[in-house]
């Protein structure tokens, strides 16, 4: 509980203390400095103390004295609140400035050139975000550098500039004629980057092999121009493999009948070996040398009768068929420059088993020159 | 109660004499506890005087402070050198 610190001015300090103690007030840490008396009283006695001092016509300064823990707590709370306010202020101020410039798509030397160029155009660290015009940045970079794509954006406190130096050439290219870009196979368009020419197709459209994707003809107002079509078109293509999975499988199972035949052999020469009477069997042979000096052996041949049994394929064995089909698809399409999106199977029943079709979907470039 | 009875027996006096008078517990060099006083007469850093039934009790020393005082008892902190009683004593 907090105490109250009382300061009383007056010469007769012992009379003051006596009066207070006679009223049942407990006084603590009393000290006298000249004509001033200092002491502490508890919270429950403070009102009584005030009354007594008033009756004695003594003026007193009364201050609440917090104990150590309360002082620390309130100080800590004050400090915490102040700290939070300061942090928020600093965050708000700093978040309106650019603190980092990131450039991707070029090598280190080119990055340095771009940063130096931006500096000359007053775009540096510490620039206010509101003062930046992203369209202007894109325009000046396109005018001053040979980039095909410049994409500036502000992410948090970073200015991120994505740059593409030049479009990679399509797989098949003949630069002597102005030719359009066509689809190399049936596909579903997922992405188009048009560098030069007119886009004929759009994302989400399905095309057949030979369909024009980017045309050479370009309209500028009412005038027609012919340019070399340049671009990259990506689409989903499918590869499939059909496999037959039988319902049952033949297996050899031992019946339990065994025949043994012994033959004496001298070196590599032996007598006639009696053949087994079983129709289907498994044969094993063991040899024991009976002489240390001469190469005389006794060969024991064991015939274990087996029978053919038909049993149903387990799901694990069926999965193995499907895995093998998938692996064949991947091996046959290793030269595809693209990304595998998904694999699924369809099946239909036929006599003796089922036909399972394994279909793999890839995303790859499909543009070629006509 | 038993403590006071034993004390009274040892010093061959009556128990009520102990209760009716001021009791001072003296902690050498540390301080003193005064019980049964009738009020404070004066206090300074060298001397604190309490009123007693028959006289006064003086606590003499250096750097004396009243750490706590109530109607009947007081705690004195400091280098207490001596405690003396001035006045009449009950027999």
């Amino acid at each position: 509980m907090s105490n109250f610190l009382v300061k009383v001015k007056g010469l007769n300090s012992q009379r003051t203390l006596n009066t207070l103690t006679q009223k049942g007030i407990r006084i603590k840490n009393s000290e006298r400095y000249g004509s001033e008396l200092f002491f502490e009283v508890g919270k429950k006695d403070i009102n009584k103390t005030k009354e007594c001092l008033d009756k004695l016509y003594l003026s007193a300064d009364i201050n609440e004295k917090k104990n150590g823990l309360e002082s620390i707590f309130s100080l800590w709370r004050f400090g915490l609140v102040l700290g939070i306010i300061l942090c928020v202020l600093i965050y708000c101020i700093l978040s309106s400035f650019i603190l980092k410039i990131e450039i991707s798509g070029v090598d280190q030397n080119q990055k340095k050139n771009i940063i130096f160029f931006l500096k000359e155009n007053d775009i540096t660290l510490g620039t206010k975000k509101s003062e930046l015009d992203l369209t202007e940045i894109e325009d000046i970079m396109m005018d001053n550098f040979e980039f095909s794509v410049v994409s500036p954006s502000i992410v948090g406190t970073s200015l991120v500039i994505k740059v593409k130096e030049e479009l990679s050439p399509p797989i098949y290219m003949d630069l002597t004629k102005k030719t359009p870009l066509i689809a190399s196979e049936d596909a579903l368009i997922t992405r188009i980057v048009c560098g030069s020419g007119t886009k004929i197709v759009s994302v989400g459209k399905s095309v057949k092999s030979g369909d024009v994707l980017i045309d050479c003809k370009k309209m500028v107002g009412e005038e027609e121009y012919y340019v070399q079509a340049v671009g990259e078109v990506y689409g989903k293509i499918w590869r499939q493999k059909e496999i037959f999975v039988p319902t049952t499988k033949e297996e050899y199972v031992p019946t339990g009948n065994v025949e043994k035949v012994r033959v004496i052999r001298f070196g590599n020469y032996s007598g006639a070996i009696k053949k087994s009477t079983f129709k289907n069997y498994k044969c094993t042979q063991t040899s024991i040398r009976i002489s240390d000096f001469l190469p005389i052996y006794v060969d024991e041949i064991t015939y274990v009768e087996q029978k053919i049994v038909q049993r149903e394929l387990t799901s694990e064995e069926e999965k193995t068929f499907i895995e093998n089909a998938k692996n064949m698809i991947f091996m046959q399409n290793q030269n595809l420059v693209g990304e595998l999106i998904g694999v699924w199977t369809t099946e239909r029943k036929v006599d003796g088993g089922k036909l399972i079709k394994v279909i793999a979907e890839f995303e790859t470039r499909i543009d070629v020159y006509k | 109660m038993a403590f006071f009875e034993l004390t009274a027996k040892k010093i061959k006096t009556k128990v009520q004499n102990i209760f009716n008078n001021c009791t001072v517990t003296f902690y050498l060099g540390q301080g003193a506890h005064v019980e049964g006083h009738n009020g404070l007469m004066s206090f300074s850093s060298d001397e604190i005087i309490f009123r007693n039934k028959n006289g006064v009790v003086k606590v003499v020393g250096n750097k004396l402070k009243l750490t706590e005082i109530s109607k009947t008892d007081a705690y004195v902190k400091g280098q207490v050198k001596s405690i003396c009683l001035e006045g009449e004593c009950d027999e």
Side-chain angles (χ1 to χ4, degrees):
Chain A
M1 198 194 294
S2 54
N3 289 340
F4 285 83
L5 189 62
V6 182
K7 180 175 114 178
V8 179
K9 261 192 175 169
L11 291 172
N12 206 341
S13 47
Q14 48 271 16
R15 179 175 159 242
T16 311
L17 286 174
N18 279 332
T19 312
L20 292 171
T21 52
Q22 289 301 314
K23 294 285 180 191
I25 296 166
R26 205 156 187 96
I27 310 274
K28 292 176 193 169
N29 298 325
S30 61
E31 286 179 71
R32 195 171 69 183
Y33 298 103
S35 63
E36 287 177 342
L37 174 68
F38 294 86
F39 59 89
E40 289 175 27
V41 290
K43 204 173 179 181
K44 58 181 175 126
D45 292 331
I46 189 62
N47 291 329
K48 231 192 269 183
T49 308
K50 282 180 192 171
E51 279 172 24
C52 286
L53 290 173
D54 286 341
K55 277 184 186 166
L56 291 170
Y57 300 101
L58 291 169
S59 61
D61 290 334
I62 301 174
N63 295 303
E64 192 173 351
K65 181 190 172 195
K66 287 188 176 143
N67 65 26
L69 205 62
E70 284 175 345
S71 314
I72 290 167
F73 185 68
S74 63
L75 203 66
W76 169 76
R77 250 198 325 205
F78 173 74
L80 179 69
V81 168
L82 188 65
I84 290 171
I85 292 169
L86 272 171
C87 282
V88 168
L89 261 169
I90 290 168
Y91 175 78
C92 289
I93 292 167
L94 285 180
S95 63
S96 59
F97 292 94
I98 293 289
L99 301 177
K100 192 177 174 186
I101 298 176
E102 280 177 27
I103 299 164
S104 65
V106 287
D107 60 31
Q108 209 58 27
N109 286 331
Q110 191 68 306
K111 271 185 199 174
K112 284 180 187 170
N113 292 339
I114 293 170
I115 289 172
F116 182 74
F117 172 78
L118 290 171
K119 219 175 184 176
E120 284 185 337
N121 285 278
D122 299 325
I123 300 165
T124 55
L125 297 176
T127 313
K128 265 193 175 172
K129 281 200 267 191
S130 53
E131 288 174 9
L132 284 179
D133 184 354
L134 295 178
T135 323
E136 199 188 315
I137 294 172
E138 189 183 339
D139 289 340
I140 57 172
M141 283 187 72
M142 289 290 276
D143 291 338
N144 289 279
F145 292 93
E146 286 174 3
F147 295 139
S148 59
V149 176
V150 174
S151 166
S153 58
I154 294 175
V155 178
T157 54
S158 300
L159 172 62
V160 178
I161 304 176
K162 287 182 185 168
V163 154
K164 203 161 185 187
E165 289 191 272
E166 58 180 20
L167 290 171
S168 47
I171 300 163
Y172 309 104
M173 206 160 135
D174 184 359
L175 292 170
T176 56
K177 333 179 217 184
K178 289 187 174 55
T179 49
L181 278 169
I182 59 170
S184 57
E185 60 180 289
D186 298 356
L188 182 72
I189 307 288
T190 55
R191 207 161 29 119
I192 305 176
V193 179
C194 181
S196 162
T198 310
K199 264 192 300 189
I200 303 295
V201 294
S202 55
V203 172
K205 192 179 172 186
S206 61
V207 294
K208 289 214 172 303
S209 172
D211 284 354
V212 175
L213 304 171
I214 299 176
D215 203 3
C216 309
K217 194 160 76 173
K218 197 173 169 95
M219 298 298 294
V220 180
E222 287 183 2
E223 290 186 16
E224 264 181 22
Y225 287 92
Y226 280 88
V227 294
Q228 175 58 43
V230 173
E232 293 178 0
V233 183
Y234 293 83
K236 284 186 194 170
I237 60 163
W238 297 271
R239 295 285 183 265
Q240 60 187 26
K241 183 127 194 88
E242 203 166 47
I243 49 168
F244 172 72
V245 178
T247 320
T248 57
K249 184 182 169 180
E250 274 185 359
E251 232 179 30
Y252 283 97
V253 169
T255 59
N257 298 329
V258 175
E259 279 179 359
K260 285 190 182 179
V261 172
R262 283 196 184 88
V263 173
I264 297 176
R265 176 166 55 93
F266 183 87
N268 292 330
Y269 301 98
S270 66
I273 299 169
K274 184 186 169 190
K275 284 193 181 174
S276 173
T277 57
F278 300 139
K279 192 179 170 188
N280 294 309
Y281 58 85
K282 187 177 166 186
C283 171
T284 54
Q285 181 175 318
T286 54
S287 295
I288 303 169
R289 188 168 179 163
I290 55 172
S291 168
D292 290 335
F293 305 102
L294 296 169
I296 300 174
Y297 301 87
V298 172
D299 293 336
E300 187 178 89
I301 299 159
T302 309
Y303 297 105
V304 178
E305 191 187 18
Q306 289 181 326
K307 64 177 179 184
I308 298 169
V309 163
Q310 294 276 352
R311 68 161 177 84
E312 279 192 18
L313 233 62
T314 61
S315 55
E316 286 300 317
E317 285 167 337
E318 195 176 297
K319 277 181 192 171
T320 312
F321 275 94
I322 296 169
E323 281 304 312
N324 290 340
K326 280 183 199 171
N327 291 335
M328 281 187 72
I329 294 177
F330 300 144
M331 274 174 57
Q332 286 166 3
N333 292 283
Q334 272 176 359
N335 57 345
L336 261 182
V337 181
E339 192 188 315
L340 175 68
I341 297 173
V343 180
W344 64 92
T345 57
T346 60
E347 58 183 58
R348 62 186 172 92
K349 281 191 178 165
V350 292
D351 285 339
K354 48 188 170 183
L355 273 176
I356 296 181
K357 198 186 271 186
V358 179
I359 304 165
E361 189 179 69
F362 294 89
E363 188 185 8
T364 185
R365 267 186 77 174
I366 56 163
D367 54 286
V368 291
Y369 280 109
K370 195 174 177 182
Chain B
M1 187 67 180
F3 168 75
F4 289 112
E5 279 177 356
L6 180 65
T7 309
K9 194 179 169 185
K10 293 283 182 189
I11 60 174
K12 294 183 173 64
T13 185
K14 295 172 188 170
V15 173
Q16 53 263 33
N17 289 342
I18 290 173
F19 280 119
N20 291 341
N21 278 302
C22 190
T23 309
V24 181
T25 310
F26 175 35
Y27 303 99
L28 198 66
Q30 299 295 317
H33 175 207
V34 180
E35 292 172 283
H37 68 81
N38 286 344
L40 185 67
M41 271 190 73
S42 81
F43 81 98
S44 65
S45 58
D46 302 322
E47 192 179 67
I48 298 177
I49 305 174
F50 295 96
R51 221 178 272 120
N52 191 25
K53 187 182 132 186
N54 299 320
V56 295
V57 172
K58 275 188 191 173
V59 177
V60 180
N62 290 330
K63 298 178 187 175
L64 299 179
K65 282 184 191 177
L66 266 172
T67 54
E68 204 166 316
I69 180 168
S70 68
K71 196 174 170 184
T72 54
D73 59 349
Y75 292 87
V76 178
K77 176 193 163 181
Q79 293 169 7
V80 176
K81 289 183 180 170
S82 66
I83 296 170
C84 64
L85 172 70
E86 288 178 12
E88 290 176 11
C89 302
D90 286 339
E91 295 227 3

